[in-house]
Amino acid sequence: MPLYIEEDRRYMPELNSIDVEEFYISAYMNQPEATDHSTSPANAAGSPSLQERIRSINLAQGSLSDVPPASRHAKQREVDLKVVRRALELLNKSQNLQNRKTGAEYVGFNISAFSLDALGAVWATTEDAFKQDASLALRQLGFSLIDASLLHTGLGLAERVKLFRMIIVPIEPIGMEKQIQALTTITDRGKDLEPFGRSLVVYLSAQLGPIHEASIEVRRKLKADRADTNTKACATATRKALSNLFTLVEDVFRAHPDAIDGHELKVIVHDILKILQITSSERDMKGALSIIQAVIQVSHIPWESLRLCIEVLGAISVGIDDLRDMAFGCVQELCSTDQPTVLAVLTDTAFSPTQGPESITVKGAVVVISHLIQVDGDDQQPLIRPSQLFDSLFDRIKRSDKVEFRQNWLCLLRQLLVIPRFMEYMFVRDDWKTIVEETIDITFYEHSLQFETIVLIPGTPTYFTCPYEWETPDLSRLTPGTKQTLNHIVGTLGDVWPRMAKEAQCKVFQLFYFLRSILSVQSQRLLISCIIELDMLYPNHSDWDECLLQLVTKFILAPTADITTRLLVLSSLKDTVSLLISDDHRSRYRAVVMPMLDKIRWHEEDDLHFINSMADLVASYALIAESSDFDHLLQILYIMSSVVSKIHVDIPRLYEHEDEAAWNMVSVAIVRLFLQCLTTSAARTSSAYAALIEVVRSREFAPCIRLPALRLMTRLRCDVDYAIYVTPDADSLGLAAAVARTEASKVRLSVYQNQGDRSNLNDDQSGSRVGRSSTISHSGITGSRASTQSAGRQDAEARVHPPQWLYPGLPGLPQEPPEKPSLLVKQYTPGAPMDLTIRLSEWLAEVISMLQTPDDWEVYSYVLVHLPSQLSNPTLFSTASPHIHLLRNIVVSQLMGGTFRTPPASTGVKKGDVAFCLYNTLIMLLGYYERFSYGEQDDMVRAILDGISSWDRVAKVCIQGLGICCHVIPKSVAKSVGPILQKLSQIITQTHLAMDILEFLAGLARLPDVYDKLREDELRTVFAICVRYLEHSRDQRTKLRAGAGTDSTQAFNRSSGISGDSGAPSESNNIFEVQKDLPQYIFALAYHVLTIWFLSIRLVDRPKHVGWITSNLASRDYQGNNVLEEQSQVTLDMMHRTAYLDLGETIPSTTFAESDGTIFKKSWLLGLSVVTVETASKTGLTHLVKRQASGTTYAIYQQNTAPLPPHHVRGPTDVNTALKGAQPRINVFPNHVFLQLTSTIAPTPSPMEAICLRDDEATRRAIAAFDRNDTVDGYKVGVIYVGEYQTEEAEILANFEHSEAFDQLLAGLGTKVELKDAIFNTQGLDKKDDSDGTHTYAWRDRITEIVFHVPSMMPTNKQSDPACVRKKSHIGNDFVNIIFNDSGAPFKFDTFPSQFNYVNIIVTPEFPLGRRNPGVIAPSPEAQPNQQTQLHFTVQTQSNPSFPNLSPAASYKLLSLKHAAGLARQIALNASVFSNVWANREGGEHVSSWRNRLREIKKLRARFANSGTSVSERYPGAKGTKTYVEGDPFTGLVVMGGLAEDDGILSSLDFSRWAGPNPSLD
């Protein structure tokens, strides 16, 4: 239908109800003939407009509606006649082409109006459109008319034949699309072939070739550079025609397979296969394959074409991925119908003598075979079973020349070996032997190899003669392709070789061996693996050593051989070592290995993996080698070390991508030998030790070689019997942080470096010391030019090499060392056999050499960090006193002169960090003090003192070191105590050192032998330091309360740069919590130090300091007024009580009784004290009790009453006058005594009047509550004994016995006291029923008391309390515990889980029980101390992860037992003070006992004082005078229950002004 009609109907729905075409005919007929045949009539001039068409339709509707029904048929005939006439007019040859096309459309639209005769007339009119020579446009007109005619429902056979003949008139290729489309339409897609079925098949068969050739030709033209539009249109048309033809042929085959006779079937299949062979279009292939598939399914492939068909299908499956499944489907169909024939064809094709294995035909056959093996048929079995395949193959082989199809066989086998189904079958049927034999036969057909008969005996290893005796075939004739295929087969067989039966394994091995000369590297490895699996390298094989020798010769001694293969051979050599059980075995193995080691050209070896594997082999063999060979093997390892050092430039690359263990195995091998020989051979251990010393000494060696040796050497220890052992833990994490060798310190270092490289360049890399002059060059780097150049080289080196040791990192040792000390190897002592001992002095000499002469930074830093840990075992160096002396001298000299090594700038480590490590070494050497002269001890103190101000990173550790010196070498500290205090006063502005300085002063105050010669001005320095830190802590607490803690953070983060605190746990501290709570701790500690030092002064000198201290105790409030905080008030109270008294504490009188008369008792509030007076009314004997914040004073007062003179007239009230019947005499009341002692008749201002307390229950309760507050600060500290091998809480708490050394520690900590009816605060220990034991240990001075909770002194009942809950109730609530670790293993902080355990002080004997051999007894602690028997202990603190590190023993310190006890007690005291601050950080500050007492007094004043006098206020009076003159008005303030001068509070508090000085003792 013309488009304009469709348009009209869209816009005018009324047109849908009538037949309107007739009414358009006149419009067409009235058009002038267009000269251009391409012009549409609808677009020509004069075509009816839309209005004209509507008007014509309306007229037609009116005319049709007027026709009566009876006349309608006649009318219809008339209309039909008009339609036919009009169609003939339009189709007439005289019309233009466009009108004739319109006529064809008109016929199609009105086909029902045409009778068969009319239709024949139409065909006759257009016969020119069906001629072969007609134009393409005219032929297309004919096809349009045919399409219209086929719509006629009355076509008979004659008409169909007529149409068919019109269709098949030959036409140009560009018109074939219409022709095939017409054939598809007339046959209803191949379903209706009557009556021209055979003619159609013949025609279709004839057209396949030409249409395909036309398509190819057009495509060829299309590929030309200038293909025109007609060519492109032709290409499209021919492509569609060919596609439609394929579809029609397929449809005809499927709908009428019987219509195709044998000849036509052969022709069609032949043509289709030909098309498949030559076409390159996947579209064409798919269409052709569809026909083949249809033929297979509904008919059959002619025999003549079957081979070609299978070959083509195989080729398609190989070459066209998208059509592979379709091709496989066709083959499957063929195989289902005639499997033997298909298999025979495939076999013949796969082994075609005319085509090589690389041809697509052969490849296709192989692929098809592989596919059919994997596909199941109807019986759930493969379409081609492997057994059927092999039968066919072997039959084919028998009929052919094996050489001709060798490669074909190998290709097929290669393909089959990757098919899981085939492999499954092979394992089930176990046909490997047959397949491999056939492969060998085909591959080596020319050689006629004679196979050895292999006898397998069940339960015994496979017996093989040496394969090197077998005949060796010449494989030079094999082509490269064949060799490559064989290598693939070998690889696949090697993968499944372990699953094969032994007999098949032997055959496969024969194949491998015969092919050895052409095997690829990977296949060679498989061959070696087979040799290993067949036990041919192990002593149970007769020729094992010969096999080893051949492998060594071919691979090990050939530096160019594949490295992986060489490593495999080395692994086999190593595995063989463990099987050498007889002398004969060892001898034969030696004959292979020792010559091999000597023949290897080490200077040509450059692969680290090979060298490391060889080192592993040497270490394994050395353990069983003869003694004469052992030293030689060590020499070889040393040579290998030098080789690795020469190629160490590649190590940074390896380090970044591989485990360190992959490239440092050479010296690790020597370490392994040392560790393994330690318990088996003293002589070999000594040799290994000597080799390690040589490695350490060889500075030309790379750090990666020397570091494993250093890791072992720094872990060497010995026990009390001088037996050598190796500790697994170097315990040096804290110092590692100082040189940026921990993960946390690396993070801090990166932040530090990111602050700017420029600042780093200007930093003091050469180590200029604080307070000393230095020359600074323009570059900002000091020192000589030579040292600058050296540092430059070191920096370049550091930039190239990343850190080669780090915490946490690789394990320090390649294997776990023996748990117990060696029973064979001892530290050298005079008279001991040299070959059974090792001289640790040699190692110490190397350490000294490294410190004296600059060494590689990796090595130097490692020694710096780990030397202090080793020095904690003095017995190890008991015979190395000269070296210890030299080490001390060098360390002291370098620290004093700053001559130690400067670290590379690129590491970010400062010279102060190096000094930090050296000072730790020096402090550890304090444990050797008995080996040093007094002068040397003095030098050590001076060196430590010098470090406080010389190196900005070591002040903290130096101050802590001086604290250790106070215990260890007090005489040397006493000589320098004045300079020490002076130095500390100079650095008080460094607020991050406040805690350390105050803790040092607190410890020093308890060592009178050290400070007894201090001058008055030096003592005042101590008080000045305390006052300075009080001011600082007040400022910090104010800022923190106000939310401004920036300055504090900066101050506390300046401690030591990268190194941080001296102990590792500080890395996990919560900086904000430390920032918040340290000011409180410093505040409490400063008052504590001030108090203890005031009490430490001689009594005669104390009043001299009262005025100065008092003037600095006050602080300013927000209004600028002087105020005294509670701690200042109790400190002032303490001085008030002790400035003129040194008798100690007082107790109530036990002689005061009723015998002196009735006792009257009365109490007054006097200032900030409660005075209680108890007076005997008869004698006047008085018991005075003065309760103050800092203590309670008990005293007896009695008036010395003179006897009455003889001339005295007695009155009724006179003393000793008694009247008969009178009541007992009352001669004195408490009020008199109170007034006599506290008052005169001078007027007393109201604020200063004493307040008499009512004698009632409330007052008594208040005074009783006051008395319950101790007069000293009490602390509880656990002291726990950890026995041998104990690690669990329950077993540790269950101890009821402990060692003698533990007893000595307890004695050093305090005094043994009885608990029952104890009059002191036992800190929770039972003092009634001995349920917590009968005794404990305690320690007390004038302001502090510590009660020690000792679980091993408490009763233990494992049956009723297996978990020791009662003991845990004490230990679990102790903030601080002292752990005596005799277990031999590191103590873990979480051994006693508790939220209250903050600090553990670990005291470890040099010889813990867990580290001793059975029967070895440590010397008694009471033995005469000397170089051999003096017991040493290490003291180290552990802190809760949330707790800051506050101890001088954050890194362990070495001390004797008596010194360790004193240090542990001092650390426990400081930690207890801080723990109380820390525990109360959420709920407020910790309130001391004295402050509690002060608060109780203030409560009484608030309750009983006169109105307006309980708080500070102006006292009324005249203004203008500041000093009191008799008779003048007084102006002042009511302060603390007293009256102070206006603006003179501090001077008013100085009681020494009016109390006066103490009498002179001169």
Side-chain angles (χ1 to χ4, degrees), residues 254 288-298 326 329-330 333:
R254 293 189 181 280
L289 273 179
S290 299
I291 296 174
I292 294 295
Q293 191 174 45
V295 171
I296 295 172
Q297 291 175 351
V298 302
M326 196 171 183
C330 294
E333 295 284 349

Side-chain angles (χ1 to χ4, degrees), residues 556 559 563 566-567 570 597 600-619 636-648 651 654 661-669 672 704-705:
I556 302 301
I563 182 59
R566 300 179 82 194
L567 294 177
L570 283 178
L597 295 173
I600 293 177
R601 297 187 292 274
W602 294 108
H603 63 281
E604 297 181 8
E605 297 293 345
D606 58 359
D607 190 280
L608 287 173
H609 294 285
F610 174 77
I611 297 175
N612 290 332
S613 298
M614 183 62 75
D616 192 26
L617 168 64
V618 171
I636 291 175
L637 287 173
Y638 184 83
I639 294 172
M640 294 166 65
S641 299
S642 65
V643 173
V644 173
S645 296
K646 291 179 182 179
I647 57 177
H648 78 280
I651 288 178
L654 290 173
W663 51 265
N664 70 347
M665 288 299 297
V666 181
S667 55
V668 169
R672 283 177 47 204
C704 66
I705 297 297

Side-chain angles (χ1 to χ4, degrees), residues 214-407:
S215 175
I216 293 176
E217 179 63 23
V218 172
R219 289 174 192 167
R220 184 185 61 78
K221 293 180 179 180
L222 190 62
K223 291 180 180 179
D225 294 337
R226 297 182 179 179
D228 55 20
T229 304
N230 291 333
T231 304
K232 292 179 181 179
C234 185
T236 302
T238 53
R239 184 185 71 246
K240 291 182 179 179
L242 184 61
S243 177
N244 293 337
L245 177 60
F246 285 148
T247 302
L248 180 59
V249 173
E250 179 187 1
D251 292 341
V252 169
F253 263 102
R254 293 189 181 280
H256 300 279
D258 297 337
I260 305 172
D261 61 13
H263 174 72
E264 294 303 330
L265 177 63
K266 292 179 183 180
V267 172
I268 292 175
V269 170
H270 177 270
D271 289 344
I272 291 295
L273 292 177
K274 184 177 179 182
I275 290 173
L276 288 172
Q277 284 182 299
I278 64 176
T279 187
S280 60
S281 170
E282 289 190 24
R283 183 193 300 270
D284 294 349
M285 287 186 184
K286 185 175 182 180
L289 273 179
S290 299
I291 296 174
I292 294 295
Q293 191 174 45
V295 171
I296 295 172
Q297 291 175 351
V298 302
S299 182
H300 67 282
I301 300 295
W303 174 257
E304 298 83 352
S305 301
L306 182 59
R307 175 180 296 276
L308 179 60
C309 180
I310 294 174
E311 290 178 356
V312 169
L313 292 174
I316 291 174
S317 64
V318 172
I320 311 298
D321 292 341
D322 292 341
L323 301 179
R324 181 178 294 115
D325 291 342
M326 196 171 183
F328 280 159
C330 294
V331 177
Q332 288 174 218
E333 295 284 349
L334 286 173
C335 194
S336 298
T337 57
D338 191 1
Q339 189 257 14
T341 303
V342 172
L343 180 57
V345 171
L346 288 172
T347 304
D348 287 344
T349 303
F351 290 89
S352 173
T354 60
Q355 300 188 61
E358 297 302 319
S359 69
I360 193 170
T361 302
V362 174
K363 286 183 178 180
V366 172
V367 169
V368 169
I369 292 174
S370 303
H371 173 73
L372 295 177
I373 290 177
Q374 302 177 69
V375 178
D376 288 339
D378 296 336
D379 57 354
Q380 303 303 314
Q381 293 295 322
L383 289 174
I384 295 182
R385 301 178 186 179
S387 59
Q388 297 170 328
L389 173 63
F390 288 132
D391 289 343
S392 178
L393 288 175
F394 295 152
D395 178 69
R396 181 70 177 84
I397 290 171
K398 293 177 183 178
R399 295 182 284 105
S400 307
D401 183 0
K402 295 183 178 181
V403 176
E404 291 181 355
F405 59 79
R406 173 190 293 149
Q407 181 65 7

